[in-house]
Amino acid sequence: LTDLPGELLELILCCDVLGAADIGRVSCTCRRLREAWPSLLKYYSHSDSVSWLEEYKARHNAGLEAQRIVASFSKRFFSEHVPCDGFSDIETLGCPSHFFEDELMCILNMEGRKGLTWKYYAKKILYFLRQQNILKNLKEYLQRPTERQSFLEGAVLIDQYCNPLSDICLKSVQAQVDDITDKVRKVLRTKNPRHPSLASKAGEILIPEVELQRQVLDAMNCVLYEQLKYKGNELDYYNSLNSYIHQVLIRRTGIPISLSVLYLTIARQLGVKLEPVNFPSHFLLRWCQGKEGSTDIFDYTYIDAFGKGKQLTVKECEYLIGHHVTEEFYGVVTSKEVLQRMVGNLLNLGKRESTDQSYQLLRDSLDLYLAMYPDNVQHLMLQARLYFHLGIWPEKVLDILQHIQALDPSQHGAVGYLVQHTLEHIERRKEELGPEVKHRSDEKHKEVCFSIGLIMKHKRYGYNCVIYGWDPACMMGHEWIRNMNVHSLPHGPHQPFYNVLVEDGSCRYAAQENLEYNSEPREIPHPDIGRYFSEFTGIHYLANTELEIRYPEDLELTRATVQKIYSSGKE
């Protein structure tokens, strides 16, 4: 093909008889097509009649549009969190969204240590786009009749929303569950070669005989807990990974509700109708031993998927949690209520810590909860307070507060307080005069020794970091200075202080006397690195355009410092 004239090659590739698979194979041999088509073939069926020239033009134009929007984000949103209306350009795209997403993935997958700022904003845009699509899918799922709401699909939707950049799809998760189901059938065949579950496809029949159901559950326990070594994660119970169904399948561990969803799905595929029970502190499944649909809680055996499928009586369920509960807690719950509990678990995990990661989890789980219950005043107020605390999206905070006031006028005190302070925040933002520019030539900056982009090491705590800002003296308030014991330093607060991105993902404010050059500089794996830097040279970071505007004389000093320190050949 490479020996053919370009015009002839174009004529061949535009031929109507070529299918998606043909284009995919050609793409793998062509530099220009290789980045686009192999990942896009899933959007075409073998029977589609496609004008590949028009498709290529559409993909090319979507790529240009994506690059334009990504390039604009750094300039527009460098000094603030991307506002809720910052994605308005993306919501009104004039090109197919899957082409746009594909270009964002190409940016994220660029090799090397360049394009860090582009990757940073491409990731944010892709995060937003995918979450919007997942929310739409979740709302469609919730509108279906209850019998068409698969517990597994609901768990996958929650997983996808909290991990939008991961490659998670229902088809892949279902395939893994089907593989476990096949293993159960093999065990079942050795015990009862004529078992009805062996002759039917997934979920086609319900087995009425209790003894035949028991054989299925025994085979499931054998495969899940003995062969595959699934278990409840008692050692790291409060890890959010335990709640994500794709991680449960990878790590073979989880919490009661995630393991119950897996257990219930496999059982139903084998003809055993288990039902979810919203038991307090420990999610369970129930298995009917009496008349189907019985309201007598003693007609059921309760199954603890977290406890290796152990079958429990009512009294043993109470022993499990250490106290008596009323009959209502033994009742079956809907798929929506199961999702509510799963999201509630994630909400509680997000509240446990005050880190960027936990705040993101809290934001995501609040989005999911309010998608299911949009008028829940308690969670609306939590969302408003969270955005207010993070200093983001003040206009959206006002909208949420207005909605709360309309739903529950008794909240006027809390609403009024937040409205007042949010309006003050908006006014302060309007009064900001643009970026402060710091020139090293100014007399007041003569004591500043280090510059933007240098890889440093903290003398006391030993962490590695990169400088992304500095002040000639400590600019924090008296309370922070007192809490951080700054006065115990030889030079106290009257010395340069540096904003640094730390390898553990945190941002810190460090005194000059506590920092030293890192003898073995390496990349700092911080999620915000691309917000400030465009490239890692192998020794230091290069400030992006917006950061360079604020520190116009630092780049030359950084280069001179690097040349002086690492000229011995360590680079």
Side-chain angles (χ1 to χ4, degrees), residues 195-403:
H195 196 284
S197 291
L198 302 176
S200 63
K201 292 183 179 179
E204 278 189 354
I205 64 163
L206 279 177
I207 301 168
E209 296 87 351
V210 171
E211 182 53 37
L212 292 175
Q213 292 180 15
R214 188 183 306 280
Q215 291 174 11
V216 170
L217 298 181
D218 289 345
M220 282 176 55
N221 291 343
C222 174
V223 170
L224 280 171
Y225 304 112
E226 295 177 27
Q227 294 183 10
L228 300 179
K229 307 298 183 186
Y230 275 81
K231 61 180 180 180
N233 196 346
E234 296 178 345
L235 296 178
D236 194 14
Y237 191 88
Y238 296 104
N239 188 329
S240 61
L241 298 182
N242 294 324
S243 295
Y244 303 141
I245 194 68
H246 88 283
Q247 288 289 348
V248 171
L249 290 164
I250 291 170
R251 299 160 71 238
R252 301 187 181 184
T253 189
I255 53 176
I257 193 167
S258 57
L259 289 170
S260 291
V261 167
L262 176 61
Y263 197 99
L264 175 150
T265 302
I266 296 169
R268 289 194 172 191
Q269 290 187 180
L270 292 166
V272 180
K273 185 181 178 182
L274 300 183
E275 298 173 304
V277 176
N278 216 358
F279 205 66
S281 305
H282 199 106
F283 199 87
L284 296 171
L285 300 170
R286 73 179 193 182
W287 170 32
C288 186
Q289 305 286 289
K291 184 179 179 182
E292 185 178 351
S294 170
T295 56
D296 187 346
I297 63 173
F298 295 97
D299 282 343
Y300 294 88
T301 292
Y302 299 87
I303 296 175
D304 180 11
F306 186 82
K308 298 187 176 181
K310 186 176 180 181
Q311 296 173 9
L312 308 170
T313 64
V314 169
K315 185 59 67 177
E316 288 171 329
C317 290
E318 294 181 352
Y319 288 151
L320 185 67
I321 61 173
H323 60 86
H324 172 72
V325 296
T326 56
E327 287 193 9
E328 63 183 296
F329 291 104
Y330 292 92
V332 66
V333 289
T334 65
S335 53
K336 185 176 180 180
E337 290 169 315
V338 172
L339 297 194
Q340 177 188 351
R341 180 147 173 179
M342 295 183 85
V343 171
N345 288 338
L346 292 170
L347 264 171
N348 291 329
L349 292 179
K351 293 176 185 176
R352 286 174 66 87
E353 299 177 19
S354 297
T355 63
D356 289 344
Q357 188 175 6
S358 63
Y359 285 139
Q360 186 62 58
L361 179 59
L362 191 53
R363 288 172 59 187
D364 291 343
S365 47
L366 278 170
D367 288 344
L368 288 167
Y369 197 98
L370 291 169
M372 294 186 283
Y373 303 97
D375 294 335
N376 185 287
V377 170
Q378 178 186 351
H379 288 84
L380 284 167
M381 183 63 78
L382 179 57
Q383 188 178 57
R385 284 176 171 153
L386 175 64
Y387 291 161
F388 177 78
H389 172 74
L390 296 175
I392 61 173
W393 298 357
E395 290 81 5
K396 185 169 184 179
V397 171
L398 293 178
D399 290 341
I400 296 169
L401 294 173
Q402 186 177 12
H403 186 42

Side-chain angles (χ1 to χ4, degrees), residues 373-538:
Y373 303 97
D375 294 335
N376 185 287
V377 170
Q378 178 186 351
H379 288 84
L380 284 167
M381 183 63 78
L382 179 57
Q383 188 178 57
R385 284 176 171 153
L386 175 64
Y387 291 161
F388 177 78
H389 172 74
L390 296 175
I392 61 173
W393 298 357
E395 290 81 5
K396 185 169 184 179
V397 171
L398 293 178
D399 290 341
I400 296 169
L401 294 173
Q402 186 177 12
H403 186 42
I404 293 171
Q405 187 64 36
L407 291 170
D408 185 2
S410 69
Q411 297 286 332
H412 67 274
V415 168
Y417 174 85
L418 284 173
V419 167
Q420 177 186 344
H421 285 80
T422 302
L423 290 172
E424 289 173 0
H425 171 72
I426 292 172
E427 287 304 312
R428 283 196 302 272
R429 195 175 62 179
K430 289 179 180 177
E431 293 169 2
E432 291 175 0
L433 300 174
E436 179 187 2
V437 179
K438 296 180 179 179
H439 293 278
R440 288 190 161 270
S441 52
D442 287 357
E443 180 66 21
K444 62 182 178 181
H445 297 154
K446 65 179 183 180
E447 300 297 327
V448 179
C449 297
F450 308 132
S451 54
I452 302 296
L454 288 176
I455 310 294
M456 310 298 291
K457 193 177 189 73
H458 197 280
K459 294 178 182 177
R460 182 175 179 185
Y461 298 120
Y463 60 71
N464 299 306
C465 58
V466 57
I467 296 171
Y468 71 96
W470 49 259
D471 297 308
C474 184
M475 301 299 289
M476 301 300 279
H478 295 298
E479 185 177 352
W480 186 90
I481 290 173
R482 183 176 65 254
N483 290 340
M484 301 303 292
N485 204 21
V486 173
H487 287 293
S488 67
L489 296 172
H491 296 93
H494 308 295
Q495 61 175 312
F497 270 69
Y498 297 84
N499 301 104
V500 294
L501 301 176
V502 184
E503 59 190 343
D504 65 2
S506 63
C507 303
R508 305 193 189 183
Y509 196 49
Q512 181 165 281
E513 65 184 82
N514 280 338
L515 295 176
E516 61 183 355
Y517 297 118
N518 195 315
S519 60
E520 296 179 352
R522 57 177 180 265
E523 283 189 87
I524 303 298
H526 194 284
D528 283 344
I529 203 80
R531 181 177 179 181
Y532 304 101
F533 302 103
S534 60
E535 180 183 347
F536 181 61
T537 67

Side-chain angles (χ1 to χ4, degrees), residues 119-134:
K119 290 178 182 178
Y120 175 78
Y121 286 106
K123 186 175 181 180
K124 282 193 172 297
I125 295 169
L126 190 60
Y127 203 97
F128 168 82
L129 270 177
R130 289 191 173 174
Q131 284 196 327
Q132 291 302 107
N133 287 331
I134 296 160

